[in-house]
């Protein structure tokens, strides 16, 4: 059995260790500081001597299994076990921040169903179908106050009975003695993970929104350096928008909304203009078969070409998109002779062409006029 040193001190970064077992996936050590994936937190990575550890999982006996990249060291090998500390500390920060958020949500009568820690944010899935945004913003403010207060995060081994007597916000999932993690007088919960020593180390927490999953509200949060980067990035975005729109911070949204409305009006006017051009071009090329290259998107001919009126048209725009109006037999004949990709039904067929447009139109004109003569 492995001595799990991370349970007692999450700040150990390197120790001497010995391989006591090996299988096709990795190695088991006599003692380790590597936390195996669990509770929504990824497994640790780093090195055992010259061997790279790319992940840590639990084996069937519950011991940390260190996943090795390439050939594995033999049983009995002793070497220095070294954590990827930046990776560990990042997830240790997220894990501690999640404890804090779950504790504060619980104060508002909101339970935690599941958690997940990721590279950009962590999530707390709640037991509620709906949560007012003001509550989540209040939790963000309360988290900031807890961080500034530098609340101690401690842990204590105790019997199952002692732990149950604490009336914790979450039921205990294991039998026997448990490790209980405390955030000062704010929270107590049974947890076998690794944690910071103080809320001060979290630096800051930001509420970033929510999504609904399994009829639950899943809240999204950033913390630590990731939160700081996110805040600075958003500030830079707002500053850039203010400069581009000649607007103040408090009116930038109104300016963007006005710009979007103006763009919508311009697009509507453009579509009307393109439709008029389509009408004129179609009238100009009326005859046995209207075969031509258009200066507007072929979609502009929607409604201009009357379906099933017996006319024939083959039109290609500058982007290589085509519209064909005619019979299915005529379209099949075109596809046999020309590099067309697409299809349709009734009398309208659409798609794309490849190759020289002028040459394609020339072949189409011969073929279609010949078939209609």
């Amino acid at each position: 059995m492995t001595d799990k040193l991370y349970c007692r001190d999450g700040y150990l970064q390197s120790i001497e260790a010995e391989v006591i077992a090996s299988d096709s996936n990795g190695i088991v050590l006599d003692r380790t500081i590597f936390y195996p994936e669990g509770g929504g937190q990824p497994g640790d990575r780093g090195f055992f001597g010259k061997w790279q550890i790319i992940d840590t999982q639990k084996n069937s006996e519950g011991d940390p299994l260190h996943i090795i990249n390439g050939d594995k060291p033999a049983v009995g090998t002793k070497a220095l076990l070294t954590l990827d500390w930046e990776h560990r500390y990042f997830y240790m920060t997220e894990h501690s921040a999640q404890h804090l958020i779950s504790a504060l949500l619980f104060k508002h009568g909101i339970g935690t169903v599941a958690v997940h820690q990721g590279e950009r944010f962590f999530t707390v899935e709640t037991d509620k179908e709906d949560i007012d945004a003001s509550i989540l913003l209040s939790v963000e403010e309360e988290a900031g106050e807890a961080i500034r207060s530098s609340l101690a995060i401690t842990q204590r081994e105790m019997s199952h009975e002692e732990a149950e007597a604490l009336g914790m916000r979450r039921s205990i999932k294991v039998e026997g003695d448990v490790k209980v993690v405390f955030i000062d007088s704010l929270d107590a919960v049974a947890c076998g993970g690794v944690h910071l020593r103080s809320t001060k180390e979290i630096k800051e927490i930001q509420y970033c929104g929510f999504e609904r999953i399994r009829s639950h509200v899943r809240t999204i949060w950033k913390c630590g350096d990731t939160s700081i980067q996110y805040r600075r990035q958003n500030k830079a975005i707002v500053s850039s928008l203010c400069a581009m729109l000649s607007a103040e911070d408090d009116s930038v949204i109104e300016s963007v909304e006005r710009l979007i409305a103006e763009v919508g009006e311009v697009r509507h006017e453009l579509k009307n203009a393109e439709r008029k051009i389509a009408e004129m071009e179609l009238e100009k090329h009326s005859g046995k078969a209207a075969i031509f290259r258009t200066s507007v998107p072929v979609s502009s001919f929607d409604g201009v070409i009357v379906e099933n009126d017996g006319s024939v048209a083959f039109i290609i725009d500058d982007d290589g998109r085509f519209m064909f109006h005619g019979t299915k037999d005529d379209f099949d004949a075109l596809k046999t002779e020309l590099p067309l990709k697409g299809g349709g039904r009734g009398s309208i067929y659409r798609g794309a062409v490849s190759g020289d447009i002028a040459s394609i139109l020339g072949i189409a004109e011969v073929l279609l006029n010949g078939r209609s003569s």
Side-chain angles (χ1 to χ4, degrees):
M1 179 177 289
T2 302
D3 185 6
K4 304 175 183 67
L5 300 180
Y6 59 81
C7 289
R8 301 192 292 276
D9 187 353
Y11 285 78
L12 291 173
Q13 298 183 38
S14 63
I15 59 165
E16 290 287 340
E18 178 180 350
V19 179
I20 58 174
S22 177
D23 65 21
S24 59
N25 295 316
I27 58 173
V28 178
L29 303 173
D30 63 335
R31 57 184 193 147
T32 188
I33 53 177
F34 279 48
Y35 177 76
E37 181 179 358
Q41 182 172 341
D44 281 327
R45 63 193 190 193
F47 286 88
F48 178 66
K50 65 179 182 180
W51 295 275
Q52 184 183 19
I53 299 172
I54 57 175
D55 193 12
T56 309
Q57 298 288 323
K58 285 183 180 179
N59 65 10
S60 57
E61 285 75 40
D63 285 324
L65 183 67
H66 306 75
I67 312 301
I68 301 294
N69 181 25
D71 295 336
K72 297 184 293 297
V75 173
T77 301
K78 296 180 180 180
L80 184 67
L81 182 65
T82 306
L83 270 175
D84 178 339
W85 179 245
E86 183 177 349
H87 177 267
R88 153 64 79 78
Y89 192 76
F90 174 83
Y91 285 108
M92 191 159 66
T93 301
E94 275 199 342
H95 186 73
S96 302
Q98 173 267 307
H99 273 262
L100 178 58
I101 292 299
S102 291
L104 294 171
L105 287 170
F106 189 72
K107 286 180 61 180
H108 289 270
I110 302 169
T112 294
V113 174
V115 298
H116 175 74
Q117 294 171 239
E119 294 180 1
R120 298 183 297 112
F121 54 82
F122 69 91
T123 61
V124 178
E125 181 183 341
T126 72
D127 59 1
K128 301 298 182 184
E129 293 184 6
D130 190 47
I131 303 174
D132 191 280
S134 63
I135 294 177
L136 296 173
L137 291 174
S138 292
V139 168
E140 180 189 69
E141 292 179 5
E142 293 162 11
E145 183 178 346
I147 290 169
R148 290 187 295 273
S149 298
S150 191
L151 303 180
I153 303 176
T154 57
Q155 58 190 42
R156 192 166 83 235
E157 292 282 346
M158 59 179 63
S159 70
H160 197 282
E161 292 74 19
E162 287 178 300
E164 287 284 7
L166 294 173
M168 295 181 290
R169 60 178 169 82
R170 189 179 69 191
S171 61
I172 301 172
K173 300 178 181 179
V174 298
E175 297 298 327
D177 292 349
V178 295
K179 183 177 78 171
V180 177
V181 177
F182 298 86
I183 301 180
D184 213 334
S185 58
L186 177 67
D187 189 42
V189 67
C191 181
V194 286
H195 308 84
L196 301 175
R197 291 170 178 158
S198 168
T199 56
K200 181 180 180 180
E201 293 184 61
I202 299 173
K203 295 182 180 178
E204 72 175 45
I205 291 178
Q206 284 192 70
Y207 166 63
C208 300
F210 73 93
E211 56 190 1
R212 286 188 170 84
I213 180 171
R214 296 181 286 269
S215 300
H216 294 153
V217 172
R218 180 160 65 183
T219 58
I220 304 169
W221 308 84
K222 289 181 182 287
C223 69
D225 291 338
T226 304
S227 175
I228 294 170
Q229 292 166 5
Y230 180 68
R231 171 169 50 79
R232 289 174 177 171
Q233 181 185 43
N234 286 344
K235 183 178 179 181
I237 291 171
V238 171
S239 296
S240 295
L241 285 173
C242 288
M244 287 188 287
L245 299 170
S246 298
E248 298 296 329
D249 289 12
D250 57 358
S251 64
V252 69
I253 293 178
E254 180 183 341
S255 297
V256 170
E257 289 174 342
R258 184 169 57 250
L259 181 61
I260 290 173
E262 291 171 358
V263 170
E265 292 176 2
V266 171
R267 285 177 175 169
H268 180 69
E269 292 173 1
L270 178 60
K271 283 188 178 296
N272 286 337
E274 289 172 342
R275 180 185 175 88
K276 291 179 180 178
I277 292 172
E279 291 172 346
M280 291 187 292
E281 288 186 337
L282 191 62
E283 183 178 355
K284 177 182 176 182
H285 292 88
S286 61
K288 284 186 178 180
I291 302 167
F292 59 93
R293 181 173 186 166
T294 179
S295 59
V296 296
V298 289
S299 58
S300 305
F301 290 83
D302 291 343
V304 174
I305 292 179
V306 180
E307 293 189 49
N308 299 309
D309 67 350
S311 66
V312 177
F314 182 59
I315 307 165
I316 305 175
D317 65 23
D318 292 338
D319 291 328
R321 308 296 300 180
F322 75 82
M323 173 185 282
F324 173 77
H325 179 256
T327 67
K328 185 177 186 303
D329 288 343
D330 281 350
F331 181 67
D332 289 341
L334 281 178
K335 287 193 73 174
T336 300
E337 299 296 330
L338 297 173
L340 306 183
K341 290 184 178 180
R345 61 183 178 179
S347 64
I348 299 291
Y349 301 84
R350 308 172 190 273
V353 302
S354 58
D356 180 69
I357 294 177
S359 298
I360 291 172
L361 290 172
I363 296 171
E365 186 167 1
V366 172
L367 180 63
L368 292 174
N369 284 323
R371 288 176 64 85
S372 62
S373 60

